[in-house]
Amino acid sequence: MLGFVAAWALCLCALSENPQPPLARSPYVQGASPTQMHVLWRSEGPIQPVVRWGLRPDQLDHTVPAEALVTRASLGTNGQSMLARWQALRTPANLALPKLHSAPVGTFQYEALIEGLTPDTVYYYGVFNGAERLTPESPDHRFQTQPKPGTVRPYRFWVLGDSGTGREAQRAVHEGLLARVKQEGRPLDFWIHVGDMAYGTGRDVEFQSRFFESYRTTLRHSVCWPAMGNHEGHTSKGSTGVGPYYDAYWVPTRGESGGLASGTEAYYSFDHGNIHFICLDSHDLDRKPSGAMAQWLKADLEKARAEWLIAFWHHPPYTKGSHDSDKEADLIEVRHHLLPILESGGVDLVLTGHSHIYERSMLMDGAYSTNATVAENVILDDGDGDPQGDGAYHKGAGLRPHEGAVQVVAGHSGAGLGRVGTSPVMRRTLVEHGSVLVDVEGDTLVGRMINREGVERDRFSLVKRGRPMVRRLALPWQPPEYKAPEKAPKSPNPPPLDYAVLIPEGADWRSLVGSHPQGASWTRPGFDDASWPQARAPFDSGRGRLKGAEGKAGPAGRPSLYVRREFTVVQADKVTELGLWVDYADGLIVYLNGQEITRVNVGRSSGRNVQGVKLREDSGRVYLPLGASKALVDGVNVLAIECHAQGEGSIDFGLNPALWMED
């Protein structure tokens, strides 16, 4: 019953690295323009921030002036429990700094503006603490300024969404894309994230472990342009511009990178060469044509003079993946209110996520219904869009209204995948992890879905040349009807890539068998467990495979086991998630410092009164995410577990726990 951790799980901790102190977040580039770039990073406690830059990695002969550096800090609140070293930093000067929304106490964030740069030029940079260099002398710490608006040359950008799990699929998609780019010998100019980069609630620590540490090698030299997803929206608000999402990124609000000033980080636009990009907040702002965002969108489109127009946000107007755009109000409103404005402005490509699938439409225009989406008379070209297949989609040169756009749903970059059907406007639907690589060269755009192995799985092209005839197809090609597969076994929860072990496998626990504890005090700190025998996991009363507890039946006749153990966490607000690697039979209730944090296969009540214990149907060790409980404290904590067999005389009754911390 109780197995061992798979070999791949044992080596996961070697696949992700935390920043080296005093860095708490590795440097990354943001907010590009033809003449500016921003470098951001974090430290544990204050440093003397210095950024130097130049045209060679070994010759950083320029220094960012002190007045071009912004410092933000997280120093807790009056009366908040914190480490003594952070309490000492609560000086009047530090408390007067702009605040980080909810970063771990003791975090300082630095934002350096580098100005006076030459367009379309590669520079190198280094981050220092006074004279001490914190980043290595490396060509990886570089950035390239944007070209002047209107410049025509090849551009390449990466698109991904719904990636921020901190799990193996996310890493594989990233590595698969990088391998493809390296193989082709053509680097990225920048990348776009269409939201949900920090599961599950967009907390600051989730951004750190599931975005910044996951993509640190790409972030240090390539700008990510973000759109807020619903998961970020749990802790960040577009109406106020406050939250971890807004702490994480620097985006143009005053037209610094081209486009019309929006006055808010919730939505913005920028130019990159001959491409105009628009980012919208589809999560928590008014989507109606009379709203501030739609009014700004109309004004921005009137000003746009690029050859290409690409828009991105989180909620897709068309999808039948893990979400259904014909049933969900957010998605329907995006389709009904915002798409008419964009298509009147000549949009060419719309990039979204939210639905955990890859979907790519035919060339289409005018599908705004609040009812079920249909393809009739909204498809302008029903071919596959592949230059090597039916041929590219064609539009007129420039930004011409209602000549069609391609819709891409790229919510397949790390989260669990799903599908409920097939949207009639989609030419390609793939339920596999991956991301999208887009190349724009002159009048031709090529988009490709690259899966987690780096293999191209879809290709489409748009060519903007002349004035092709626009025709609406009354009976366009339709994708085959989707048939849901037979119910598959539930996939196990994947463990985090970046973790520390708090309670190892085979640890000693205080244990109680053959009787039930009185009340719930045994789950809390301070409980006197001296009378409980100390025994080493694993515990089992079955066929002799595991030792450590006799597992005698309690008064109710059902075998039960109670264990508790202390563990230490230095700073609780840096913990992204606790997780239990555990084999068990049959039901579990898990407590942290006296607070129940999960139960599995147990119905009601606990201890001697437990009801509804179900037989565990699978076997072996599994990862149970415990979340980031508010019960976790700095210093000593208590993990307590009660385990119950489904019935009397169970020969598979047992428990084998280990506690992990994602940080």
Side-chain angles (χ1 to χ4, degrees):
M1 178 190 69
L2 300 179
F4 54 86
V5 181
W8 64 270
L10 287 173
C11 66
L12 289 180
C13 55
L15 300 175
S16 187
E17 299 175 7
N18 292 318
Q20 294 298 311
L23 292 177
R25 177 173 293 174
S26 300
Y28 58 105
V29 292
Q30 282 282 281
S33 85
T35 60
Q36 296 181 348
M37 185 66 73
H38 295 76
V39 176
L40 283 70
W41 75 98
R42 287 182 174 184
S43 64
E44 294 183 353
I47 64 171
Q48 183 183 342
V50 175
V51 176
R52 298 184 181 133
W53 55 277
L55 292 171
R56 291 172 41 183
D58 61 346
Q59 191 173 337
L60 307 181
D61 48 7
H62 299 272
T63 301
V64 175
E67 59 269 22
L69 272 160
V70 174
T71 302
R72 306 180 191 275
S74 177
L75 296 169
T77 58
N78 293 333
Q80 180 179 344
S81 176
M82 64 184 70
L83 299 176
R85 58 175 173 160
W86 302 146
Q87 187 69 48
L89 293 175
R90 290 177 54 81
T91 63
N94 285 340
L95 291 173
L97 294 170
K99 293 179 174 54
L100 294 170
H101 176 268
S102 50
V105 174
T107 300
F108 283 69
Q109 178 167 301
Y110 303 97
E111 304 168 8
L113 169 60
I114 305 176
E115 299 183 279
L117 304 174
T118 302
D120 214 1
T121 302
V122 176
Y123 293 90
Y124 301 88
Y125 69 93
V127 171
F128 296 76
N129 179 13
E132 177 192 5
R133 185 163 189 158
L134 302 179
T135 53
E137 182 183 305
S138 166
D140 286 344
H141 286 90
R142 67 181 187 276
F143 59 81
Q144 184 165 353
T145 51
Q146 290 181 330
K148 291 181 179 179
T151 301
V152 178
R153 69 162 177 80
Y155 299 111
R156 167 170 282 189
F157 61 95
W158 178 36
V159 183
L160 67 164
D162 301 78
S163 66
T165 63
R167 268 50 177 181
E168 188 272 339
Q170 177 184 10
R171 184 198 64 189
V173 169
H174 185 205
E175 292 183 349
L177 185 282
L178 294 180
R180 185 78 187 200
V181 167
K182 182 178 180 181
Q183 174 188 343
E184 296 178 354
R186 183 175 172 182
L188 299 174
D189 288 287
F190 57 95
W191 46 303
I192 288 171
H193 202 298
V194 295
D196 285 1
M197 61 277 288
Y199 284 100
T201 57
R203 294 177 299 124
D204 193 281
V205 290
E206 290 169 327
F207 265 101
Q208 179 60 30
S209 62
R210 298 174 180 179
F211 181 79
F212 285 101
E213 290 173 15
S214 296
Y215 299 117
R216 67 190 181 282
T217 57
T218 300
L219 283 161
R220 66 175 59 136
H221 58 70
S222 183
V223 171
C224 174
W225 297 97
M228 188 172 77
N230 57 294
H231 283 270
E232 287 77 56
H234 283 282
T235 48
S236 299
K237 294 187 180 298
S239 58
T240 62
V242 173
Y245 171 85
Y246 293 102
D247 288 341
Y249 300 106
W250 193 102
V251 299
T253 61
R254 301 194 300 265
E256 298 95 331
S257 302
L260 182 68
S262 66
T264 173
E265 290 183 288
Y267 51 87
Y268 60 93
S269 60
F270 64 95
D271 292 318
H272 197 100
N274 62 337
I275 314 170
H276 185 62
F277 290 87
I278 294 173
C279 174
L280 301 178
D281 179 347
S282 64
H283 171 62
D284 61 353
L285 295 185
D286 187 355
R287 307 174 189 91
K288 295 183 178 65
S290 58
M293 182 169 66
Q295 291 297 312
W296 167 83
L297 174 60
K298 293 174 186 176
D300 182 79
L301 289 170
E302 289 175 0
K303 182 181 177 182
R305 295 294 180 269
E307 292 296 316
W308 291 92
L309 176 59
I310 298 174
F312 63 99
W313 61 84
H314 187 60
H315 295 81
Y318 315 101
T319 183
K320 294 287 186 179
S322 61
H323 291 272
D324 190 332
S325 59
D326 291 332
K327 295 181 178 179
E328 300 178 34
D330 293 352
L331 285 63
I332 293 170
E333 286 189 7
V334 165
R335 176 169 74 243
H336 188 63
H337 296 312
L338 296 177
L339 275 188
I341 302 172
L342 282 160
E343 292 184 347
S344 294
V347 69
D348 300 301
L349 180 63
V350 175
L351 305 165
T352 56
H354 190 54
S355 196
H356 300 171
I357 195 170
Y358 172 79
E359 296 168 298
R360 190 264 297 173
S361 77
M362 297 169 272
L363 188 67
M364 60 182 295
D365 175 82
Y368 312 139
S369 174
T370 58
N371 297 317
T373 300
V374 297
E376 288 77 9
N377 296 308
V378 300
I379 300 300
L380 309 185
D381 186 335
D382 64 354
D384 63 10
D386 188 341
Q388 299 176 351
D390 296 334
Y393 301 127
H394 289 270
K395 298 183 62 174
L399 302 184
R400 301 176 59 81
H402 299 293
E403 290 196 359
V406 174
Q407 301 277 338
V408 173
V409 180
H412 62 316
S413 302
L417 304 170
R419 183 179 184 182
V420 297
T422 300
S423 174
V425 300
M426 293 299 173
R427 199 59 166 82
R428 190 75 160 147
T429 300
L430 296 168
V431 187
E432 61 178 294
H433 287 110
S435 58
V436 178
L437 192 60
V438 180
D439 292 298
V440 179
E441 185 169 356
D443 62 4
T444 301
L445 178 150
V446 177
R448 294 179 288 163
M449 195 286 242
I450 307 298
N451 72 7
R452 55 178 288 158
E453 283 82 31
V455 176
E456 180 183 311
R457 296 284 283 119
D458 181 42
R459 176 190 290 251
F460 67 93
S461 179
L462 273 170
V463 176
K464 301 183 68 174
R465 189 180 304 154
R467 290 196 173 187
M469 180 181 295
V470 176
R471 61 192 183 109
R472 296 180 177 273
L473 303 180
L475 296 171
W477 174 91
Q478 289 285 266
E481 182 180 352
Y482 172 70
K483 293 183 179 179
E486 294 183 6
K487 189 175 181 181
K490 185 178 179 181
S491 299
N493 292 304
L497 294 176
D498 184 14
Y499 68 89
V501 177
L502 295 174
I503 301 177
E505 182 181 5
D508 289 332
W509 298 71
R510 291 288 184 176
S511 62
L512 178 67
V513 294
S515 61
H516 299 294
Q518 293 185 352
S521 61
W522 71 277
T523 67
R524 301 171 189 147
F527 173 75
D528 184 2
D529 59 9
S531 63
W532 288 31
Q534 182 165 290
R536 179 165 298 175
F539 306 93
D540 193 282
S541 63
R543 299 166 179 157
R545 290 189 296 258
L546 303 172
K547 306 186 188 320
E550 297 177 1
K552 299 175 183 177
R558 174 190 294 117
S560 298
L561 167 69
Y562 301 84
V563 298
R564 54 177 273 128
R565 180 184 165 91
E566 293 182 346
F567 65 94
T568 301
V569 170
V570 175
Q571 189 168 346
D573 63 2
K574 289 186 176 181
V575 178
T576 305
E577 176 182 284
L578 294 177
L580 203 62
W581 263 113
V582 62
D583 199 350
Y584 63 96
D586 289 298
L588 290 179
I589 306 178
V590 182
Y591 306 88
L592 176 62
N593 295 328
Q595 177 179 309
E596 181 183 324
I597 53 177
T598 196
R599 62 173 56 205
V600 181
N601 289 344
V602 176
R604 304 176 69 87
S605 197
S606 59
R608 71 174 64 248
N609 299 314
V610 70
Q611 295 176 321
V613 179
K614 297 179 181 179
L615 182 69
R616 184 185 175 195
E617 296 180 354
D618 57 349
S619 62
R621 299 191 76 196
V622 293
Y623 180 77
L624 296 180
L626 304 178
S629 173
K630 293 182 180 179
L632 190 69
V633 299
D634 296 349
V636 177
N637 294 262
V638 172
L639 183 71
I641 305 172
E642 57 180 273
C643 181
H644 301 279
Q646 191 268 339
E648 297 183 23
S650 173
I651 62 171
D652 280 334
F653 171 63
L655 177 68
N656 186 15
L659 183 66
W660 283 13
M661 172 182 75
E662 181 184 1
D663 60 353

